[in-house]
Amino acid sequence: MVRVNSAQKSTNGSREGAEWSSVNSIPLSEEGTAPDGQSIGALVKDATTHLSTLVRSEVELAKSEIAGEVKKALKGSVFFILALCVLGFSLFFLFFTAAEGLHALGLWRWAAFGIVFLAMLLVAGLFGLLGYLKVRKLSAPKRTMASLKETKNITKRRQSEEPAQG
């Protein structure tokens, strides 16, 4: 360790008895060297480089782990999509069965299928109406637009002020 005098007087809270105190410090210059001959500055530089490499490696590891998990999630979601497709096509048989059930109760076949068809139209119309009501409530992002306008105005003011100053 190198002993260096402090640039300020140590007063310890009082003005009387002020003396110069010596402070232990580690210089970050080429003057001091480590036992193996490297300077302290070179060691600090190496440590910084190694730390930077370590951080980059950790980020790369996180990226690769997340990418692997995303791939697994995509593969799983494909199976969910296939299940929904099969369910959608299976609904045809549900409606067909309902129409045949109405026919078995004594209705004409054409009337039974017509009733099921009208019921399907009614349900589709209800879902369409609910969707329309939800979408109608959407509005523009007012705060974001106001912030963008404010930023635009500030930028315009600064651009108009810059030529006047120059």
Side-chain angles (χ1 to χ4, degrees):
M1 288 281 179
V2 177
R3 312 248 320 146
V4 178
N5 286 336
S6 69
Q8 297 178 344
K9 292 183 179 181
S10 173
T11 60
N12 293 331
S14 69
R15 296 199 182 265
E16 296 177 19
E19 298 178 25
W20 290 95
S21 64
S22 71
V23 177
N24 291 332
S25 68
I26 300 173
L28 298 177
S29 67
E30 296 294 324
E31 294 173 9
T33 57
D36 64 353
Q38 279 192 310
S39 69
I40 302 295
L43 290 174
V44 170
K45 181 181 175 186
D46 287 345
T48 304
T49 303
H50 292 310
L51 183 63
S52 175
T53 303
L54 178 64
V55 169
R56 283 191 201 114
S57 298
E58 291 293 331
V59 169
E60 287 299 319
L61 176 63
K63 282 182 183 178
S64 66
E65 284 181 339
I66 290 171
E69 294 300 315
V70 167
K71 286 179 184 177
K72 287 179 191 177
L74 285 175
K75 287 178 183 177
S77 65
V78 167
F79 289 113
F80 282 120
I81 291 169
L82 289 173
L84 285 172
C85 286
V86 170
L87 179 65
F89 288 119
S90 299
L91 286 176
F92 169 78
F93 294 105
L94 173 69
F95 298 129
F96 199 88
T97 303
E100 287 295 329
L102 288 174
H103 173 67
L105 290 175
L107 288 174
W108 293 306
R109 181 168 275 156
W110 63 267
F113 278 90
I115 291 170
V116 170
F117 176 71
L118 291 175
M120 290 170 61
L121 285 180
L122 183 69
V123 170
L126 178 67
F127 285 143
L129 177 65
L130 292 174
Y132 172 74
L133 293 175
K134 289 288 184 185
V135 170
R136 192 177 74 179
K137 291 181 182 178
L138 293 176
S139 63
K142 294 174 186 172
R143 291 187 307 185
T144 302
M145 292 177 70
S147 174
L148 287 174
K149 286 180 183 177
E150 183 179 325
T151 304
K152 181 181 172 184
N153 291 337
I154 290 171
T155 306
K156 281 184 179 180
R157 274 190 262 147
R158 285 193 180 168
Q159 286 177 351
S160 64
E161 291 173 2
E162 285 178 2
Q165 293 174 358

